[in-house]
């Protein structure tokens, strides 16, 4: 399956702000008491957010590259490109995660030429960890952090 990546625009960002995940994945909801502030954050080119469109031209996911993918409390001293990824709620749990991850990895390598890639995932999200592990990522750290002080894992992959 092929995907198209575009810098996140206001229409796509507004759509993503409305996505609602079911518990326990609701920690990934972007709804906020300050929706305008979140919108401006998503649209700021320094935060490197991209929309991901499927073959039919529908918004299916989004990703970010850089510090947005980090969670307070983790050790990010090893140089790596941090990746954030969100899939439209109705498309999660359909065994398509590896397709999104593969496309995001390819895009990251061709766009940023990193030596290492890194993701930070909530520890309860075992299905995401399995898919990233199948893509060659390994757990390098476990920690408690973020605004919820929950358990997270950092996974890393060396780019060949």
């Amino acid at each position: 399956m092929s995907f198209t990546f575009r810098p996140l625009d206001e229409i796509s960002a507004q759509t993503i702000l409305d996505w609602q995940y079911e518990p326990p994945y609701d920690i990934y909801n972007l709804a906020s008491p300050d929706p305008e502030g979140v919108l401006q954050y998503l649209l700021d080119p320094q935060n490197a957010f991209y929309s991901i469109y499927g073959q039919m031209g529908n918004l299916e996911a989004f990703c970010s590259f850089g510090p947005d993918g980090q969670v307070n409390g983790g050790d990010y001293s090893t140089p790596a490109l941090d990746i954030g990824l969100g899939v439209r709620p109705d498309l999660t749990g359909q065994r398509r995660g590896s397709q999104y991850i593969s496309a995001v990895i390819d895009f990251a390598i061709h766009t940023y030429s990193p030596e290492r890639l890194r993701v930070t995932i909530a520890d309860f999200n075992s299905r995401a960890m399995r898919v990233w592990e199948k893509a060659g990522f390994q757990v390098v750290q476990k920690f408690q952090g973020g605004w919820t002080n929950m358990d997270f894992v950092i996974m890393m992959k060396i780019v060949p």
Side-chain angles (χ1 to χ4, degrees):
M1 182 171 229
S2 65
F3 297 99
T4 302
F5 287 74
R6 293 186 204 136
L8 195 62
D9 62 24
E10 187 167 352
I11 292 170
S12 296
Q14 289 283 6
T15 299
I16 290 165
L17 286 173
D18 290 336
W19 288 357
Q20 295 294 306
Y21 298 94
E22 295 294 322
Y25 302 99
D26 57 339
I27 67 157
Y28 300 118
N29 292 341
L30 295 179
S32 163
D34 179 20
E36 186 60 33
V38 175
L39 179 65
Q40 293 310 311
Y41 179 83
L42 292 172
L43 295 175
D44 185 338
Q46 290 185 331
N47 296 324
F49 277 89
Y50 292 85
S51 49
I52 304 173
Y53 296 88
Q55 290 177 324
M56 302 302 289
N58 297 319
L59 178 64
E60 293 189 13
F62 70 95
C63 61
S64 67
F65 301 100
D68 177 72
Q70 299 178 359
V71 174
N72 291 335
D75 177 4
Y76 297 96
S77 58
T78 301
L81 178 63
D82 289 287
I83 299 172
L85 173 63
V87 175
R88 201 173 71 208
D90 64 309
L91 298 176
T92 62
Q94 297 183 11
R95 301 190 180 274
R96 295 175 56 190
S98 61
Q99 296 171 1
Y100 295 110
I101 289 172
S102 177
V104 168
I105 289 170
D106 289 345
F107 183 81
I109 290 170
H110 289 100
T111 305
Y112 296 99
S113 302
E115 293 183 16
R116 289 181 202 84
L117 298 170
R118 180 172 46 216
V119 294
T120 302
I121 302 169
D123 188 60
F124 74 82
N125 195 345
S126 57
R127 71 182 184 196
M129 282 190 280
R130 276 193 308 270
V131 179
W132 286 99
E133 188 174 64
K134 287 180 184 176
F137 285 72
Q138 296 179 344
V139 174
V140 296
Q141 182 188 3
K142 294 183 178 193
F143 68 97
Q144 286 187 327
W147 56 270
T148 59
N149 203 35
M150 64 188 319
D151 293 331
F152 288 90
V153 297
I154 296 175
M155 301 179 79
M156 200 171 309
K157 173 182 180 160
I158 296 173
V159 177

